[in-house]
Amino acid sequence: MANYLSRRDAARELMAQVGDQLIICGLGSPVSDVAREQERDRNFYLVGAMGSAVPLGLGLALAQPERSVVVVTGDAELMMNLGILATIGVKQPRNLSILVFDNERFGETGQQVSHTAYGIDIAGVAIACRFPAAAVIRQQQELAPALARTHTNEGPYLAQIKVDPERVPILIPIKDGVITKARFRQALLGRY
Amino acid sequence: MPDPTRTGQPGDDWREQVFAAFEQGGVELFCYLPDAGLDSFISRANAGNQDRAVVLTTEEEGVGICCGAWLGGKRAVLMIQSSGVGNCINTFSLVTNCRFPFFLLVSMRGEFGEGNPWQIPMGRTTQAMLELAGFQVFRASHPQDAVVMVTEGLKMAWRSDAPVAVLLSQRLIGAKDM
């Protein structure tokens, strides 16, 4: 029987070592996962525009090549714009990491089964798109090395973290995109 | 047949002037999906410093990338053909909801002189769709319109945090011969 991690534990471990990383959260549970552990100005929360988390992270990584950018998103959110992995493969941003919290479900819409439940291998797609490294994470002890890698500037890197399809209580600290943008820029650039 | 939009004088090419407007407007990243009408801008974006050019697999990627670049303090523009505008509609909610400054350059297909009926549905609806999505739209039909509209459109985007689109009409860039 395949093993699944608790998404709560994965988020806790991620945010315990986050430092000054810039975090982009894709719509749905990843926003709640990250915000519950650590609400901070350097988190950007998407509550719509499905498929945009990784493109947003790529633009940020290209604009800020000296900073570590981490996209935390769901499997279906990423699958909506799978082609972005090819675009990343062309640009090879060393400072960009993608953590896919893969619950094999469309969580927000009622836990309908998603593509990855049938074995669709997002990490394999990343490797095929010239990511230097990508991995499927199924064991707790694999998580710390994966998170450490997001700090090494050896990306692009993708970790497809297999998590339990548990429902998490919704926590969206900010729905207003203007505020989210302004506070993120203020923290990073010192101006709105 | 000579290209009526070129005068033959070096520096007089409107395409060159449009690209110069991008550079003077502080644009550091060019996201694009090709079209014949954009080819000159794509070549210029790729010349010299390839770090500034980003080729996309689908247009909506470019919406996220441009917004992400601005989160990181850099100006990026998206260059696509009119059919790609339809691909972006939901993703434009990122632009309007966060009030990102946003500049879109669209080469029109499916209008003046079009020979491919498959282009016509988006050709007919591109401008209205952009306006419904909250964009300020400028349509350039003459070479000097294009230069002025890009110059002023860039200012408007970044000074007013507004989504601005400049459409290069098929009357300006010519229809594909098919």
Side-chain angles (χ1 to χ4, degrees), chain B residues 3-118:
Chain B
D3 178 349
T5 64
R6 288 175 194 265
T7 64
Q9 300 293 320
D12 273 358
D13 181 354
W14 68 273
R15 295 173 182 84
E16 207 171 290
Q17 291 173 29
V18 163
F19 199 78
F22 282 135
E23 290 185 315
Q24 283 156 21
V27 176
E28 295 183 79
L29 207 59
F30 296 85
C31 300
Y32 66 90
L33 240 80
D35 189 21
L38 301 171
D39 186 56
S40 149
F41 310 121
I42 293 165
S43 303
R44 286 181 164 90
N46 274 294
N49 173 12
Q50 293 202 355
D51 280 352
R52 66 183 184 175
V54 184
V55 60
L56 309 169
T57 70
T58 182
E59 291 82 359
E60 60 267 38
E61 284 178 15
V63 178
I65 295 170
C66 290
C67 293
W70 183 240
L71 270 187
K74 283 202 176 172
R75 295 183 180 191
V77 295
L78 177 58
M79 308 190 293
I80 60 177
Q81 63 170 274
S82 47
S83 53
V85 169
N87 292 346
C88 294
I89 296 297
N90 179 53
T91 314
F92 286 147
S93 64
L94 175 63
V95 176
T96 47
N97 209 49
C98 299
R99 218 189 304 139
F100 276 109
F102 195 84
F103 186 92
L104 178 66
L105 184 68
V106 179
S107 61
M108 290 304 298
R109 299 289 313 272
E111 49 168 36
F112 205 78
E114 180 62 56
N116 179 0
W118 294 81

Side-chain angles (χ1 to χ4, degrees), chain B residues 105-142:
Chain B
L105 184 68
V106 179
S107 61
M108 290 304 298
R109 299 289 313 272
E111 49 168 36
F112 205 78
E114 180 62 56
N116 179 0
W118 294 81
Q119 288 285 357
I120 289 176
M122 274 311 302
R124 287 177 60 88
T125 51
T126 289
Q127 180 158 358
M129 277 192 187
L130 285 169
E131 285 167 351
L132 284 169
F135 276 73
Q136 181 75 49
V137 181
F138 303 125
R139 173 183 283 267
S141 296
H142 301 285

